[in-house]
């Protein structure tokens, strides 16, 4: 028996990008385990991935191209050859282009795999070359990143490994143990060294349970808290005057602004007692090194961007950056010298392309946006919009359109794929090679291919080579091998790759970027922020240019700065939908609904697989505070309906005092099959953009819950 081990990297859209070792016996992967040598991920895999071989060999896998042979959405498919699949797509696309123009084609994608060559941008060159409608993908951290760049620039921020040196750690809207769990050992070590851990979250999550102090906050009100912290810090002169003078701009204006946000005001907004706000501000300012780790969830509200602006100002105010383990951690992705333009090829885009934000998919498909030409073809890969995007009812209606030609490349017949005219089989991470950045640590990873593709599955790179050829493209850039693409995707001359070769990364599976060691690195001890002024900008210079979307999220088209003025100082924008801001709405829909990540799913991945659904619960649960449940006569396990004017879904009630009164939680990622009536939480979410970066507002909603 031939047994080998292959080092790779987890493909998922998660900060941790774990190093994995696959044991292969006679060409079959028999085990997928964590790589104990990796300094950050340290050999442990999460509940989602520690049986990845079961995903790979699942009998539900799509292994061959298929065409639809029944009504849309009924999952009746028949196997066809790749030749037939590609020819069908090319013929339909060419006819659509001839009749309506290429903008009638809409690509839809995100980070099904995070690999540099198979991930976010793999289809962009083709669709840009065709002149298809451009998809703007501002799902995840676009608002937060925009705010972060406005304040401190594209810095990796605090090395997550430096947290062992922190003495005061705030996990702000971040459920580390579920969503970034390999960071936890560093936090635990800091705690052993005497650090205090504070978690700010409406929910007593498994992370909050292990905190020294869990501060429960009303969803969407975090900016009021951050500004009131500034108020106290400035008023009580807990600022670091020297750091402010040398390395920040706009302090006087910020102080004037913060003066208007009293702890009393913040208390009314957030539900946090005044004395707790004051104590948090004092402790944070006087327990160096103090560090904040911001979760993505903080952005999913009307004022999410300005919330991150406010939080990002805090470390500058108290000079937290002077210390190893002090400052702010958001996405260290900025450290990776990925050549995004080489991957997405914005230069191929015709002038003035139509841009559609992913949040408006439903409205685009139903015709509500009045598109001319209308969308006649949809190509989905690396994404599952039926499960993960707002206006689910409209998406469904759109996907049911007889005249819409839908192609989906997938591992499984997801809630989206079931509406496809053509389904294409995609390889999993074990069946493909890729190079990986991380948004949770500073290691570049390489995923070696462990096994041959199953059935006729192909990597996304190969899929797009086949499509390009069928569409008559001859430019050799479209036909590079995976190895050539990997080589070209990074700037190997970058200082952070000095001394690192591709061969070494391949052999070992990972390499730490050439950054200073986490034990004595304070990236902004001496300022040097990558902003226009080189300083931490309390008052933002680029805000003057109008609202923009951070690079990575905008898709290379002209017009990233839309001219809507942004207040250059951080401020509080109350939720669109809350008891305080929308009392008439709240009279009918008094509960705030949030849909954070599920521990056992990765977005909607694994929502169909036995091990993970067993852990998460087979059926969608909605968690209510005991008072809210009792008031409605709802006991644990009762079937319930969650609804507002936009729609409804049905679930089972879980009753727990972990949830703040007035808040209900629907863990995200469940498929329609796990919901009692097919619809999921996105039947209720709004399509409105948040204040910055065209981020979503899907946790900014009021609902009512009733017993069925
Ligand atoms: N297990 C698991 N891990 C994942 C994912 C997954 O689906 N499952 N998804 C990955 C992806 S794509 C992402 S973007 C990251 C996201 O990582 P996180 O940002 O940690 O994810 P969330 O679970 O959405 O939100 C974190 C916490 O914020 C809280 N929260 C919600 N609204 C507010 C608010 O207004 N204020 C405050 N202070 N807290 C709030 C929620 O209750 C939740 O506990 O996780 C990644 N990792
Ligand atoms: N209610 C609610 N909605 C949310 C969120 C939330 O917390 N709550 N989170 C938002 C966030 S942060 C994010 S990042 C988005 C995620 O939104 P999506 O990226 O659309 O969600 P995923 O469920 O990760 O879907 C990825 C799909 O890609 C497929 N896939 C995996 N690998 C490959 C591959 O190599 N090739 C191909 N062709 N397909 C592959 C997977 O099987 C999966 O079905 O959702 C957003 N929507
Ligand atoms: Mo995300």
């Amino acid at each position: 028996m031939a047994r080998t081990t292959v080092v790779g990297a987890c493909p998922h859209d998660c900060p941790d990008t774990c190093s994995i070792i696959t044991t292969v016996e006679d060409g079959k992967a028999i085990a997928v385990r964590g790589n104990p040598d990796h300094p950050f991920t340290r050999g442990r895999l999460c509940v989602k991935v520690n049986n990845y071989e079961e995903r790979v060999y699942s009998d539900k896998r799509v292994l061959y191209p298929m065409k639809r042979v029944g009504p849309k959405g009924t999952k009746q498919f028949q196997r066809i050859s790749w030749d037939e699949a590609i020819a069908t797509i090319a013929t339909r696309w060419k006819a659509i282009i001839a009749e309506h123009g290429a903008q009638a084609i809409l690509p839809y994608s995100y980070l099904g795999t995070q690999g540099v060559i198979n991930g976010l941008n793999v289809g962009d060159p083709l669709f840009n070359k065709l002149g298809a409608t451009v998809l703007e993908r501002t799902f995840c951290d676009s608002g937060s990143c925009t705010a972060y760049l406005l304040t401190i620039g594209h810095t990796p921020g605090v090395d997550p490994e430096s947290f062992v040196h922190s003495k005061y750690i705030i996990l702000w809207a971040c459920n580390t143990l579920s969503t970034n769990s390999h960071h936890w050992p560093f936090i635990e070590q800091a705690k052993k060294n005497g650090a205090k851990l504070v978690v700010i979250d409406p929910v007593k999550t498994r992370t909050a349970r292990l905190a020294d102090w869990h501060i429960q906050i009303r969803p969407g009100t975090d900016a009021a808290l951050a500004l009131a912290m500034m108020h106290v810090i400035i008023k009580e002169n807990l600022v670091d005057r020297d750091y402010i003078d040398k390395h920040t701009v706009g302090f006087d204006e910020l102080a004037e602004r913060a003066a208007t946000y009293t702890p009393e005001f913040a208390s009314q907004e957030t539900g946090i007692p005044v004395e707790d706000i004051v104590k948090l501000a004092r402790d944070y300012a006087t327990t160096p090194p103090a560090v904040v780790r911001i979760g993505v969830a903080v952005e999913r509200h009307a004022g999410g961007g300005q919330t991150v602006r406010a939080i990002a100002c805090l470390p500058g105010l108290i000079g937290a950056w002077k210390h190893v383990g002090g400052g702010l951690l958001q996405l260290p992705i900025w450290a990776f010298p990925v050549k995004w333009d080489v991957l997405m090829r914005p230069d191929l885009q015709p002038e003035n392309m139509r841009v559609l934000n992913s949040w408006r998919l439903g409205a685009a498909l139903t015709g509500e946006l009045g598109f001319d030409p209308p969308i006649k073809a949809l190509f989905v890969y690396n994404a599952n919009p039926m499960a993960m995007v707002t206006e689910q009812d409209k998406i469904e209606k759109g996907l049911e359109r007889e005249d819409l030609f839908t192609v989906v490349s997938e591992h499984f017949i997801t809630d989206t794929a079931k509406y496809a005219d053509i389904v294409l089989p995609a390889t999993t991470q074990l069946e493909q090679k890729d190079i990986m950045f991380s948004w949770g640590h500073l290691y570049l990873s390489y995923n070696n291919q462990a096994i041959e593709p199953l059935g006729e599955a192909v990597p996304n790179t190969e899929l797009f080579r086949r499509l390009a050829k069928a569409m008559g493209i001859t430019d050799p850039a479209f036909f590079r091998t995976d190895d050539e693409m990997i080589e070209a995707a990074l700037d190997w001359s970058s200082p952070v790759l000095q001394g690192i070769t591709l061969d070494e990364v391949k052999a070992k599976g990972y390499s730490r970027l050439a950054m200073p060691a986490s034990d004595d690195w304070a990236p902004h001890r001496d300022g040097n922020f990558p902003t226009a002024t080189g300083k931490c900008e309390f008052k933002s210079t680029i805000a003057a240019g109008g609202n923009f979307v951070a690079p990575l999220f905008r898709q290379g088209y002209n017009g990233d700065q839309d001219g809507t003025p942004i207040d250059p100082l951080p401020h509080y924008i109350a939720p669109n939908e809350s008891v305080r801001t929308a009392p008439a709405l709240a009279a009918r829909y008094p509960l705030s609904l949030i849909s954070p990540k599920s521990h056992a799913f990765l977005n909607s991945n694994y929502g169909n697989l036995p091990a993970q659904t067993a852990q998460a619960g087979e059926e969608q649960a909605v968690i209510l505070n005991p008072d809210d449940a009792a008031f409605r006569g709802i006991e644990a396990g009762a079937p319930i309906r969650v609804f507002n004017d936009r729609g409804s879904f049905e679930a089972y009630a879980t009753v727990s005092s972990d949830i703040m009164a007035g808040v209900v939680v629907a863990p995200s990622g469940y498929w329609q099959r796990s919901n009692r009536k097919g619809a999921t939480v996105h039947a209720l979410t709004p399509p409105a953009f948040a204040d910055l970066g065209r981020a979503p507002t899907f946790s900014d909603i009021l609902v009512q819950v009733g017993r069925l």
Side-chain angles (χ1 to χ4, degrees), residues 13 55 108 110-113 118 139-140 296 300 359 381-385 388-389 409-412 414 426-427 432 460 595-597 602-605 668 681-682 685 698:
D13 179 8
R55 179 178 182 90
Y108 186 98
Y110 199 55
L111 279 173
T113 168
N118 283 293
F139 281 136
C140 174
V296 176
R300 298 183 190 128
W359 294 116
Y381 60 100
N382 277 344
N384 184 9
M388 298 312 288
V389 173
S409 162
E410 254 299 347
H411 295 160
F412 297 104
T414 59
T427 44
Q432 63 196 17
N460 294 334
S595 48
K597 307 299 185 187
L602 192 289
N603 300 327
S604 69
N605 293 268
S668 68
V681 60
H682 279 301
T685 53
F698 49 60

Side-chain angles (χ1 to χ4, degrees), residues 13-15 46-48 110 140-141 171-180 200-203 205 215 217-222 294-301 388 439 594-604 665 668-669 699:
D13 179 8
C14 164
C46 67
V47 54
K48 300 161 312 263
Y110 199 55
C140 174
D141 243 22
L171 298 177
W172 204 317
C174 187
N175 184 7
T176 305
L177 277 165
S178 291
T179 60
N180 182 193
I200 303 174
D201 197 308
V203 182
T205 59
I215 298 178
I217 187 165
R218 287 192 192 115
T221 64
D222 301 79
I294 324 183
V296 176
V298 82
E299 78 170 9
R300 298 183 190 128
H301 305 275
M388 298 312 288
W439 46 284
I594 57 176
S595 48
K597 307 299 185 187
S598 295
H599 184 72
F601 302 149
L602 192 289
N603 300 327
S604 69
V665 176
S668 68
S699 290

Side-chain angles (χ1 to χ4, degrees), residues 229-283:
M229 285 171 72
M230 289 185 202
H231 178 102
V232 174
I233 289 168
I234 295 170
K235 194 167 148 198
E236 300 190 359
N237 199 23
L238 302 174
V239 298
D240 185 327
R241 202 60 238 198
D242 182 54
Y243 194 87
I244 289 170
D245 289 345
K246 287 190 182 131
H247 306 305
T248 74
V249 288
F251 174 71
D252 292 341
E253 285 121 309
L254 182 72
E256 215 173 286
R257 178 61 62 87
T260 63
Y261 292 104
T262 61
E264 290 71 23
F265 169 80
S267 176
Q268 280 172 27
E269 295 296 307
T270 60
I272 303 168
V274 170
E275 57 276 19
D276 285 356
I277 296 172
V278 173
K279 178 177 160 50
L280 176 67
R282 286 181 186 155
D283 289 355

Side-chain angles (χ1 to χ4, degrees), residues 122 125-126 129 342-343 345 347-348 461 464-465 468 473-481 484-485 488:
V122 58
L126 174 69
K129 176 90 177 172
V342 168
L343 296 168
R345 296 296 305 271
D347 55 301
L348 295 174
T461 49
F464 284 101
R465 283 189 287 263
I473 292 170
T474 54
D475 177 350
F478 285 82
F479 302 100
R480 290 173 305 164
T481 63
E484 287 166 346
M485 292 174 79

